[in-house]
Structures are given as C-alpha cells and as structure tokens.
C-alpha cells in the first residue's frame, strides 16, 4: 500500500533539524567540554528519534498490510488483541484505516515532534509530556482533528485509558460516528507501531544510556535490581506505569511489558515473530556488564519464563 509522504516529511525534517542544528552550534561555541558533551548528546538523541520515527512509519505500514491480509482471510474476525476494548472486525478496521490513510500516515510521521522540547536551550531535560507537545507542534501543519488526536493518543499508558481520554476531548466529540471509530482504530495502530519501532531500535541498536540518564535521572539510582512493582506487573501481565520506574532495569522491563498492551492481533503476531521480547532480554544481559545494571542477571531466568508466555 503506497502513500506519498511529500506533505508530511517536511514538518518532520524541519522540526528536528532546527533542534539538532541549534545543539550543534551550541556545542561548537562552548569552551566547556562537559557542556559540549551535553549539547552533542542531545543532538544525537534527536537524530535517534528521527530514525525511530522512520522505523515506526515502516512498522505502521507493515501492520496495515497484515491487517489487509487478515481482512481478506477472516473478514469478520476480531482485529483486536486487547480484550479490554470493544471488538472491531478485520474488514472494518482495514477499510476505515484505508479510507483515512492520510490521517494515519501523518500521525505516524508526526507522533514524536514533541521530543524536540524534551531539552531546553541549555541541553537540560524539561520534563514535558512529548505527546502533548507533539500535538501542539502538529497544529502548525494541520487542522485535522483526527491527526491531532491520534498523535496525542499515542502517549497514554494503556489502550483502555486512551479510549476514555480521547472520548472526553471536545475535538473528538465533533467528529462523525465513522470518524470517531476510525480515529480510535488509527490511534491503536499508531500506538502499536510505536512499540514495534521502539523494540526494533532497542534490539537492533541498543539505546543511548547516557541520554536516558539525563531524561530520567531518577531511574539510575544506586539500587539497580528489578523492583517489586515491575515484577508484579510482569506476573500479572500488565503494562508498567512510566511514572513508577524503579531504576534502569525497570525501564527495560517496562519496554518488554508493552507486549501486554498490544492492541491489534497483527501487531501481537509481528512481535512474537520478531522475537522482540527475547531480544530485549538479551540486550539487558549486555547492559548488565555495566555496574549500573549488574543485578539484572539475577532476574533474567524468571523474566524469560514469564514474559515469553505472552
């Protein structure tokens, strides 16, 4: 399935290029080596997020192609893997997404524009909600409520929460019944594609831990074993609330537990086929060579047994 990105890529490129170039200029001007390192680190983080966006876009289109196949082979079967959501047939999910394909495409490419606001002009973390800022920045390029809602919706902790928050938005209430259903389906697709895109980035390339340290310094406390909260979530197959990370180990477990919040059956199958959970565990094992996450290995066998059951 082909759609032109000509009206979407410029916004992505310009938003990130402005931040990257500014950080590089700051790095070139400062005589302080520590400040230079910070500026260059943020520039690298922004580059990583652009690459992540392209991963997400590719995964999003792959999910849609899988949904098309499902619509042909089992049109009336439930497209959704999440039992907390009302069922939607493969046929309806594919047809609605195809009808609003431009909305889906823009939401995939613009969902992380707000990452550029996660650091201020001094390369210090701002603590903003990037999904909210992504929506605000996208308003410069479109007035389409479905695009803006789908961008905002990718930042909620669970699909069920997203449905409730989305339905309360004035922009959503003004949509037609068809547009409301399409907006929810597209939002689920974007959320799933974001998870697959992140997993691919982590498993294939690892993450820049120094940058993560600056975004969420509280996750690098001296106690590095996996916390009780994270393990309780793993045992009950529940997503982990990002505000409750215990440490770096918890960050990785949270990413692995995205498997419990996969909305579409097509995405769930893709994650299993790609062996992404095992890849995350292997990545954690590599990280365990660093003293900041040394105790990860003590929980590896338990995690592998519990998590691969997804």
């Amino acid at each position: 399935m082909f759609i032109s990105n000509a009206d979407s890529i410029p916004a992505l490129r310009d938003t990130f290029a402005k931040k990257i170039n500014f950080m590089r200029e700051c790095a070139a001007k400062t005589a302080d080596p520590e400040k230079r390192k910070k500026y260059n680190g943020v520039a690298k983080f922004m580059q990583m997020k652009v690459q992540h966006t392209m991963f997400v876009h590719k995964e999003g289109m792959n999910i849609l192609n899988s949904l098309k196949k499902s619509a042909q082979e089992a049109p009336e079967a439930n497209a959704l893997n999440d039992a907390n959501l009302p069922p939607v047939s493969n046929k309806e999910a594919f047809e609605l997404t195809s009808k609003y394909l431009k909305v889906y495409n823009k939401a995939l490419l613009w969902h992380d524009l707000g990452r550029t606001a996660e650091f201020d002009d001094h390369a210090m973390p701002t603590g903003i909600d990037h999904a909210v800022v992504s929506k605000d920045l996208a308003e410069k390029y479109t007035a389409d409520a479905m695009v803006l809602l789908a961008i905002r919706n990718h930042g909620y902790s669970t699909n069920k929460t997203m449905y409730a928050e989305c339905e309360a938005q004035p922009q959503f209430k003004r949509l037609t019944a068809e547009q409301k259903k399409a907006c929810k389906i597209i939002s689920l697709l974007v959320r799933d594609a974001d998870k697959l895109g992140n997993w691919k980035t982590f498993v294939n390339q690892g993450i820049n831990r120094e940058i993560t340290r600056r975004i969420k310094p509280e996750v690098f406390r001296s106690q590095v074993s996996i916390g009780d909260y994270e393990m309780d979530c793993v045992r009950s197959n529940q997503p982990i609330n990002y505000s409750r990370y215990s440490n770096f180990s918890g960050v990785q477990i949270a990413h692995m537990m995205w498997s419990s919040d996969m909305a579409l059956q097509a995405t769930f199958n893709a994650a299993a086929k790609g062996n992404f959970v095992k890849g995350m565990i292997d990545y954690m094992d590599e990280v365990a060579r660093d003293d900041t996450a040394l105790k990860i290995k003590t929980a590896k066998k338990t995690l592998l047994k519990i998590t691969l059951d997804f």
Side-chain angles (χ1 to χ4, degrees):
M1 185 170 294
F2 174 78
I3 182 171
S4 172
N5 295 326
D7 62 344
S8 305
I9 288 293
L12 174 69
R13 181 191 61 229
D14 295 348
T15 302
F16 277 94
K18 181 179 179 181
K19 189 73 172 186
I20 291 169
N21 291 336
F22 178 79
M23 286 294 148
R24 286 175 174 169
E25 289 171 5
C26 290
K29 291 177 181 177
T30 184
D32 187 327
E34 286 302 313
K35 288 184 178 180
R36 186 180 306 114
K37 183 179 179 181
K38 283 186 177 181
Y39 288 128
N40 285 329
V42 173
K44 186 175 181 180
F45 173 75
M46 296 303 160
Q47 288 177 301
M48 182 182 76
K49 284 303 171 183
V50 173
Q51 187 172 51
H52 159 74
T53 295
M54 301 317 296
F55 275 143
V56 170
H57 184 266
K58 182 178 180 180
E59 294 301 329
M61 291 305 164
N62 286 341
I63 295 170
L64 186 56
N65 285 328
S66 295
L67 189 57
K68 178 181 180 180
K69 184 178 179 182
S70 298
Q72 294 169 340
E73 296 177 350
E76 300 308 316
N78 186 9
L80 303 184
N81 177 66
D82 193 332
N84 294 310
L85 306 178
V88 179
S89 72
N90 286 322
K91 183 175 183 290
E92 185 176 30
F94 175 70
E95 288 180 349
L96 283 175
T97 307
S98 298
K99 181 173 181 178
Y100 295 96
L101 188 56
K102 288 185 177 180
V103 170
Y104 182 44
N105 193 60
K106 288 179 179 178
L108 288 170
L109 289 170
W110 295 350
H111 78 283
D112 265 358
L113 293 181
R115 292 290 186 183
T116 57
E118 287 191 316
F119 294 90
D120 63 19
D121 289 350
H122 304 288
M124 298 300 293
T126 60
I128 57 92
D129 184 334
H130 81 277
V132 174
V133 180
S134 293
K135 175 180 176 289
D136 293 342
L137 291 175
E139 288 177 346
K140 299 178 182 179
Y141 304 100
T142 185
D144 191 322
M146 290 176 67
V147 174
L148 299 175
L149 286 166
I151 290 171
R152 173 64 188 96
N153 288 344
H154 93 276
Y156 293 113
S157 58
T158 66
N159 296 319
K160 186 177 180 180
T161 300
M162 182 272 285
Y163 264 38
E165 293 291 340
C166 183
E167 289 170 356
Q169 298 301 312
Q171 288 173 307
F172 183 81
K173 293 178 180 179
R174 290 193 289 268
L175 299 177
T176 66
E178 179 187 87
Q179 288 173 330
K180 287 177 180 178
K181 182 167 280 191
C183 183
K184 286 182 176 179
I185 293 169
I186 288 171
S187 296
L188 292 174
L189 284 162
V190 172
R191 287 169 61 82
D192 276 10
D194 191 30
K195 294 179 179 74
L196 287 186
N198 269 322
W199 266 346
K200 180 169 283 189
T201 302
F202 298 153
V203 173
N204 293 345
Q205 298 178 322
I207 62 173
N208 189 318
R209 297 180 62 251
E210 288 301 315
I211 291 174
T212 305
R213 186 194 299 271
R214 289 198 291 276
I215 298 174
K216 289 183 175 291
E218 71 277 9
V219 308
F220 285 87
R221 297 196 300 238
S222 58
Q223 194 273 345
V224 297
S225 59
I226 294 167
D228 291 339
Y229 168 66
E230 287 92 337
M231 287 308 301
D232 286 344
C233 289
V234 171
R235 293 187 185 100
S236 59
N237 197 34
Q238 294 294 318
I240 291 172
N241 186 321
Y242 289 124
S243 67
R244 297 183 62 183
Y245 290 149
S246 296
N247 42 49
F248 183 73
S249 308
V251 174
Q252 305 313 309
I253 303 304
H255 293 149
M256 288 161 56
M257 288 312 297
W258 282 336
S259 61
S260 68
D261 195 47
M262 289 296 185
L264 277 84
Q265 191 64 46
T267 319
F268 185 86
N269 293 340
K273 185 177 180 180
N275 218 2
F276 283 123
V277 172
K278 183 178 183 302
M280 281 297 295
I281 292 175
D282 289 343
Y283 168 60
M284 288 170 64
D285 201 20
E286 291 179 23
V287 173
R289 298 170 192 166
D290 189 307
D291 289 341
T292 38
L294 190 60
K295 295 182 183 178
I296 287 177
K297 287 187 177 182
T298 62
K300 182 184 174 186
K301 290 184 179 179
T302 303
L303 280 170
L304 184 59
K305 181 180 183 301
I306 296 173
T307 317
L308 286 184
D309 287 340
F310 93 103

